[in-house]
Amino acid sequence: MKINVGIDLGTTYSAVATFSKELGRVQVLKNGYGKDCTPSVICIDHGNIMVGEDAKEEQKSGNVNTAAFYKSMMGDPNWSAYIDGREYSAEELSGLYLAHLIQDVKESNHVDIDGAVITVPAYFNDKQREATIRAGKKAGLKVLKIINEPTSAIIAYGLTGGKEKNVLVYDLGGGTFDVTVAHVSGTRIDVLATNGNHQLGGKDWDETLLNQVKEQFYSEYGVSIEDHEEDLKELQVKCEEAKKLLSSVASTVITIQCDGYLGKYTVTREEFDDQTYSLLYETILLIKSCFDEISEARNRPFGWKDIDEVVLVGGSTRMPQVKDMILKEYGRPPITKDINVDTIVATGAAMQAELCVSNTITLTVAGPAAGAAKTGGAAPSSPITLTIRNSDIQDITAHSLGMLALASDEKSYINSIIIRKNSKVNETFSREYTFAGQKLQVYVLQGEARDPYECDIIGAYSITGMPKNNKNKIKVNFLYNSNGVVEVNACLSDGTVLSATREKTNETLSEIIARLEREKKEAEEEAKRRSKIEIMLMIDTSGSMSGDRIVEARRAAKEFVKALDLKHSFISVISFADASQYKCKWENKEWSLNSAIDSVNVNDVGYCNAETPIQNNYKKFSRDCSRVIVILTDGYWDDQQTEERAATAAKADGIIIYGIGIGDADEAFLERISSGKGKKVDLSELTATFKEVATSIATEVGGNTLR
Ligand SMILES: Nc1ncnc2c1ncn2[C@@H]1O[C@H](COP(=O)(O)OP(=O)(O)OP(=O)(O)O)[C@@H](O)[C@H]1O
Ligand SMILES: [Mg+2]
C-alpha cells in the first residue's frame, strides 16, 4: 500500500506519521526499535551507513565517523562534516539519513511511501528550505510540501472546531527555537507572527553542562578533552542524558574518562537553571518581538493577555525552567495534556500531506466541550468529525524579502524591502522599473536590516527577453510560495512574460557590490564620453559653389552652429575641393566658429572635386566621444569609390555621416556614404535642412545627456 507521510526532520530526533482516512486520525509510524522518534544521527563507517539508534550508539562509543546536529547547517555552503574519508554537506547527510529512515519505517510498518511533507523551523530561510527539499528528493521522496514546524503543531493541536482563539506555540527542540502566534477559528488557521533562532536549542543547554564539567576536569587533571575527539563525542551524549535527568531530579553526576583519568562531577538543577537563564531569556525576547510585530500590524497593543492558549512543542520544553517561565510571564500554565511534544509536529505534517493530495481531510476529534476540558471546563462530549480544506491554513513568512538597491544618496547600497516579514505566503508583490537595457539583474535578499551585509543573499535573477532599443516598463513579481521558498518572475506592462532565471553565482555580497559600483562608474564614464560630440563640418568649395551657393552654405552653417549644444559640441570647419583645409579645429565658441565659416571661400583648395574628404580626415577624431561628419557638396567627386570605402569604414567605427547635396550633387552617392538617408535639397531649403541635422544630432547622438 502506498501512503503519504509527514516527516518531522528534527535536529536531534525525527518522526514519521501518516493520516489514516479510515480512522480519521494520524498514526505515528514506529521505527525498527518500535519507537516513535529516531535520533537524527548518521554514522558512515567504511561505506556502511547507519542511522538512528544504531548511529547514536556509535556516537556514544566515540566513533568519529558519526554526524549529528547537521540540520542547523542546512544550506550553508561553508559547512561540511569530514566522515569516513570525505566531506559531506548537511544536505547530503540529511538526504542519506532520510533515505535510511524511510526504508526502516517502510519495512517496520509494511508500507510503501510515496509523497512526504517535511517540516522545517519557521525561521528557516530560503536556502535552508531549498536544501531540505533537495535532501528529500535525494532520499527518493516526492516532496509534497515544506511546512513550518509550529504551523504543523497548530494543525495537529488546534483544529478542534471550537471557538476563536489565539494560540502561542513555543517550540524548543534540539537545535532550533520557534515561537509562533496563530489565530484559530473552527477549522481555520491564520498564522499572525513568527520569530525564532535556528541556532538555539537543547544542544546549547547540553553545551552549558559540557563546558562546566570540561573545565572542572581540566582544572583537576590539566587535560583538555577537546584534544580527545572520541571522549568528547561520548561526553556530549552523557551531558544530554544528564540534562534530561535534571528535568525530573534535582541533581545528577557526570563522569569523564579521558587520558587515563576519571572525573566525577555533580550537577544540580538549580545551578543548571542559573547557568542557562540567558538562553531561556533569549526565547522570552523572541516572544516579545512577536507581540510587538502583531501590535504594529494591528496598531493596538497585543500581549500575553491576548493569548488564549500556550502550547509547548519540542523535547526541550520538558525542562521545568520552560514551564516555570511561561507560568511567570503568562500567569497561567501552558497546555500539556493530550500533547505529545515529540510527535505533534509529525502529526500535523501527516495531516498536511493528506491535504496536499486530497485537498480536504475529515478528522475525528473530541467534541468542542472536550477542548474546553483541556483547560478545565466542561465534561468531554462524543467525538465529532471536522472537514478541513487546504485553503483553511494560511501561513506567513518569517523573513522580509528585499532587493539590493542603490540608496537615495546614490553612494551606498541598501536592502530595499519588498515583502515584509509576517506577510502571507502565496501573495505576489511587484515592483515596476523603466529600463532601457537587455538584461535586468535583481539581487534578492532575506532579512530585516536596511544594511544588506546583515541580510542573506538568496539569489541573483536575470530578467531578459525585452524588446530592443526601448525604454521598457518592466514589472518584477516576488512571491513566497507555499513552501516559503522565494519565486521571482517578470513581465512587460502589457503582460508579455519575460524570462527570469536564477543565476548560479558564487559571488559574495561584497563582490557583487564592488562589481555593481565598478559597472556604475563605467556607465557614468561612458555617458560622459558620449555627451561630448566632435563634428567635422565639410563644405565643398569647388568652383561650382561660387555665387549664391557659397553664400547660402555659410548662412546654413552658421544656423547649424547656433542650433547645436555648444557646451558639448566641438566643431572642425573644413573647406574641401581638390584637397582639405581646416578653417578651425574642435572649436565650440560661436563667434570663433562664425569667423571660421566666414573664411570658407570658393577655390580655397583648388577648383575641382579631386579630394576624398572622408578618407583623408575621418581618422583625425578623438576616440573618446561621439563623432559626426556633415558634408555639403554640389557636384560629382572624381573618386567616389575610395570615398565610399572610407565612409563604410568610418560608419563601422561608429562615426555618423550626414550627406547634404545641392545643385548637381549625386544623390545616390550621398545615400551611400550617409548613415541615414542622404539628402539633396533646393538651395532655398539649405538652412532648414542644416537645422534639422542639428536637431537630429542632439536627439540621436545624445549630445545632451548631461543636461
Ligand atoms: N526530559 C527532557 N528534558 C530536557 N530535555 C529533553 C528531554 N527530553 C528530550 N529533551 C531534549 O529535547 C531535544 C529534542 O527535542 P525534539 O525532538 O523536539 O527536537 P528536534 O525536533 O530534534 O529539534 P529541532 O526541532 O530543533 O530541529 C533534545 O535536545 C533533547 O535533549
Ligand atoms: Mg522539532
Side-chain angles (χ1 to χ4, degrees), residues 8-13 71 119 121 149 171-176 313-315 341-342 345:
D8 173 6
L9 181 59
T11 311
T12 48
Y13 290 93
K71 170 172 161 179
T119 65
E149 285 160 14
D171 181 358
L172 187 61
T176 55
V313 177
V341 292
D342 299 319
V345 171

Side-chain angles (χ1 to χ4, degrees), residues 213-225 256 265:
V213 294
K214 181 176 90 178
E215 277 160 28
Q216 283 176 300
F217 188 75
Y218 184 78
S219 59
E220 195 170 348
Y221 299 111
V223 174
S224 171
I225 194 154
I256 302 181
Y265 307 104

Side-chain angles (χ1 to χ4, degrees), residues 21-66:
K21 270 190 192 170
E22 293 71 41
L23 301 175
R25 64 178 171 80
V26 170
Q27 287 178 300
V28 176
L29 298 172
K30 295 196 186 301
N31 65 19
Y33 285 93
K35 291 194 173 167
D36 288 346
C37 297
T38 304
S40 305
V41 184
I42 184 163
C43 174
I44 311 173
D45 212 341
H46 297 91
N48 179 32
I49 299 174
M50 279 178 269
V51 303
E53 306 289 344
D54 298 339
K56 190 142 187 179
E57 277 307 312
E58 290 298 317
Q59 185 193 12
K60 227 188 236 175
S61 65
N63 189 336
V64 291
N65 287 321
T66 53

Side-chain angles (χ1 to χ4, degrees), residues 8-15 37-38 40 56 69 71-72 119-121 124 149 171-178 198 200-206 240-241 243-248 272 313-320 341-343 345:
D8 173 6
L9 181 59
T11 311
T12 48
Y13 290 93
S14 296
C37 297
T38 304
S40 305
K56 190 142 187 179
F69 302 118
K71 170 172 161 179
S72 57
T119 65
V120 291
F124 253 23
E149 285 160 14
D171 181 358
L172 187 61
T176 55
F177 171 69
D178 275 326
H198 53 77
L200 178 70
K203 68 169 176 26
D204 299 293
W205 273 260
D206 302 348
E240 193 204 346
E241 283 169 354
K243 173 195 73 175
K244 286 186 187 172
L245 263 177
L246 285 182
S247 291
S248 49
F272 175 63
V313 177
S316 298
T317 60
R318 289 203 178 90
M319 292 187 291
V341 292
D342 299 319
T343 56
V345 171

